[in-house]
Amino acid sequence: MIAAMRPPPSPPHPTHHPDVDLLSRHAAGTLADGPALVVATHLDFCPICRHQMRAWEALGGALLNSQRPVALADDALERTLARLDGAQLDDARLEGKRPPADVPALDPDPVLPPALRRQRLGPWRFVAPGIRGRAVRVDPTQGYKVMLFRVAAGMAIPMHGHRGQEYTCVVDGAFSDVFGRFGSGDMAAVDASVDHQPLAEPDGDCLCLIAVRGRLRIHSLLGRLVQPLVGL
Ligand SMILES: [Zn+2]
């Protein structure tokens, strides 16, 4: 049977990546702990960005620290993508991460990617109906709050804006907002000009890591009521 000879499909790799500036600052070690953890989580999922990071690390930390990020070619990521077109995920750590379809999603918690397993995590707390969150403890003097959110299938995070940057990496499941669909490993970075309402997909809970600088501007009454509880 020809169909039986096909290799099993490789896990999909992310389609939303940190931009070149963010990735190069991560390589140079100049990001604050919050966004650095979000980028590190993306790297656990993304062979393309890991490849780019290794290329920069080969240049040497001293060289990276002596150059402005703009010194790196604007098309560096695109050229890497082209080289790796069709590449298979070379990291089997994430294979089998998803539970079988007949097991309730995220119950128990999925295996966290390595970057998160090394963190000090607070207990899960109620945030709003269908949403729970747990703090990821980072240096508070750097201005970022970092949380893991579990959003039940089909639920929305309240419509909100930002007073500073918000960095997100999906750890399990998927959500959609005005910028598209974000699945496992996908990363988003939005600034203070953006209002959005991420919506978990209907076929499973969404677990995502979020680092926020400054307080959110939450538009819904419910969101404003729970905001003090979660400290965002
Ligand atoms: Zn990537």
Side-chain angles (χ1 to χ4, degrees):
M1 298 272 298
I2 292 176
M5 299 295 289
R6 288 178 181 158
S10 58
H13 58 64
T15 56
H16 297 277
H17 307 270
D19 65 21
V20 171
D21 175 66
L22 195 62
L23 201 58
S24 63
R25 285 193 286 143
H26 184 70
T30 59
L31 285 178
D33 288 352
L37 180 58
V38 177
V39 174
T41 301
H42 172 79
L43 289 171
D44 283 337
F45 287 87
C46 185
I48 297 167
C49 290
R50 286 202 302 272
H51 182 88
Q52 182 66 70
M53 287 285 292
R54 283 195 293 270
W56 285 335
E57 286 163 358
L59 291 174
L63 181 61
L64 281 166
N65 283 324
S66 67
Q67 292 185 331
R68 295 189 306 153
V70 72
L72 296 159
D74 288 337
D75 61 350
L77 183 57
E78 287 72 18
R79 286 189 284 112
T80 302
L81 285 167
R83 282 202 301 275
L84 295 183
D85 188 33
Q88 301 293 306
L89 258 182
D90 60 4
D91 187 338
R93 286 174 300 181
L94 298 170
E95 289 191 21
K97 179 173 63 66
R98 287 180 175 277
D102 57 347
V103 174
L106 302 186
D107 187 19
D109 282 345
V111 175
L112 294 176
L116 284 175
R117 278 182 243 152
R118 295 190 289 267
Q119 304 304 313
R120 291 182 301 137
L121 304 174
W124 283 109
R125 296 168 64 187
F126 172 87
V127 175
I131 304 176
R132 289 196 290 156
R134 65 190 307 188
V136 182
R137 308 204 190 287
V138 296
D139 178 1
T141 66
Q142 297 183 352
Y144 279 90
K145 288 197 170 69
V146 184
M147 296 279 294
L148 265 173
F149 281 108
R150 277 174 75 153
V151 184
M155 292 292 295
I157 290 178
M159 173 70 90
H160 64 278
H162 313 92
R163 294 184 172 85
Q165 283 279 344
E166 179 187 85
Y167 300 93
T168 302
C169 184
V170 177
V171 176
D172 197 69
F175 73 81
S176 298
D177 66 10
V178 293
F179 300 104
R181 178 187 186 275
F182 294 78
S184 290
D186 278 330
M187 187 175 155
V190 296
D191 62 26
S193 67
V194 172
D195 283 11
H196 67 152
Q197 185 174 33
L199 178 68
E201 291 202 332
D203 57 348
D205 296 354
C206 180
L207 179 67
C208 53
L209 176 70
I210 299 180
V212 180
R213 187 178 180 87
R215 293 181 67 82
L216 299 181
R217 294 181 290 107
I218 297 179
H219 302 316
S220 73
L221 175 61
L222 175 62
R224 287 196 296 275
L225 287 173
V226 302
Q227 190 170 25
L229 298 176
V230 296
L232 289 178

